[in-house]
Amino acid sequence: MRLKNDRSDVRKSHQSMMWLSLIILLLAALLRIYHLNLQGLWGDEGWSVEFSESPNPSEVTQHLVDDLHPPLYFVLLSWWRQVAGDTEVAMRLLAVFPAILTVALIDRIGRKLFSPAAGIFAGLVLALSDKHIVLAQEVRHYPLAFMWMALTTWVFFLWIDNPTRRRTSLYSALIILSIYTHYYTLLIIVVQVLYSMFT
């Protein structure tokens, strides 16, 4: 009887944590979507718009040769504009979605490394982070880069648990996507190597 009660308590605790995670994700979404069009496009956003004018990925990439930025975000923005339009809100939403997903991933990483409570707290901290909110409301590639770094870290921990060929391939693909979004994402490999060395 006691074992049954213990299982029931664990299930209720798990459900409570899942509800808290969902509430934090909704809060993150609200904070990133609220006033999304409050300010007009500024300088760097203008560059993003200009680089993504062409619907042809090779032309978008060619425009970036002198700018030295990787092309993935700008190609995605070009495609996104063809579907969602050229309004400030539409273009900025492309940064909002990966920003929200990053909050969810940070929650999962915290749970994996420490505890469900740590995951909830980490997700809440990122959800309320003013810098992350500001970057998620711009037509820029940073939220997508953050998402790739969080996703590669999540897959990295899964790979440590069970290093299958499929997880190795997925990890490699995510690293490539990260680099094609922003070069500084390579730093996450350094962090993961240091983690491996110390654990």
Side-chain angles (χ1 to χ4, degrees):
M1 187 68 175
R2 183 179 176 182
L3 182 61
K4 190 174 181 181
N5 288 337
D6 288 346
R7 285 181 180 170
S8 177
D9 290 344
V10 168
R11 192 179 311 114
K12 286 179 182 176
S13 174
H14 179 71
Q15 288 175 344
S16 297
M17 290 294 182
M18 293 307 293
W19 277 110
L20 279 173
S21 291
L22 181 60
I23 290 168
I24 289 169
L25 280 180
L26 291 173
L27 174 64
L30 176 66
L31 291 173
R32 283 150 184 79
I33 294 171
Y34 183 67
H35 283 325
L36 197 56
N37 64 342
L38 185 63
Q39 299 180 31
L41 296 175
W42 67 285
D44 283 0
E45 288 181 294
W47 287 113
S48 297
V49 173
E50 183 177 334
F51 289 143
S52 63
E53 283 291 334
S54 174
N56 185 334
S58 62
E59 286 182 21
V60 172
T61 304
Q62 188 61 40
H63 284 121
L64 291 163
V65 169
D66 294 332
D67 189 67
L68 301 178
H69 275 90
L72 181 59
Y73 169 77
F74 301 97
V75 170
L76 290 175
L77 179 59
S78 172
W79 291 341
W80 177 255
R81 290 171 66 184
Q82 293 175 56
V83 174
D86 285 332
T87 66
E88 291 165 13
V89 170
M91 289 189 290
R92 286 174 174 162
L93 277 174
L94 186 61
V96 169
F97 298 135
I100 295 168
L101 184 55
T102 304
V103 173
L105 287 164
I106 292 299
D107 180 329
R108 298 302 297 174
I109 292 167
R111 288 167 186 260
K112 179 85 174 156
L113 287 177
F114 302 106
S115 68
I120 294 286
F121 183 72
L124 180 61
V125 167
L126 186 59
L128 297 175
S129 169
D130 59 339
K131 188 67 173 174
H132 196 255
I133 293 168
V134 168
L135 290 173
Q137 294 184 326
E138 296 181 352
V139 186
R140 298 296 289 151
H141 49 305
Y142 301 110
L144 185 62
F146 298 152
M147 184 200 75
W148 291 133
M149 289 193 292
L151 195 52
T152 58
T153 301
W154 173 246
V155 173
F156 169 76
F157 287 127
L158 294 178
W159 180 85
I160 286 177
D161 288 346
N162 184 15
T164 63
R165 182 177 294 176
R166 180 177 292 176
R167 287 179 177 173
T168 303
S169 299
L170 178 58
Y171 177 80
S172 301
L174 289 171
I175 288 294
I176 291 168
L177 290 170
S178 299
I179 295 167
Y180 271 82
T181 301
H182 202 294
Y183 297 126
Y184 74 58
T185 57
L186 280 170
L187 292 173
I188 202 65
I189 298 175
V190 176
V191 173
Q192 292 163 0
V193 168
L194 288 173
Y195 174 85
S196 300
M197 288 170 58
F198 289 108
T199 58

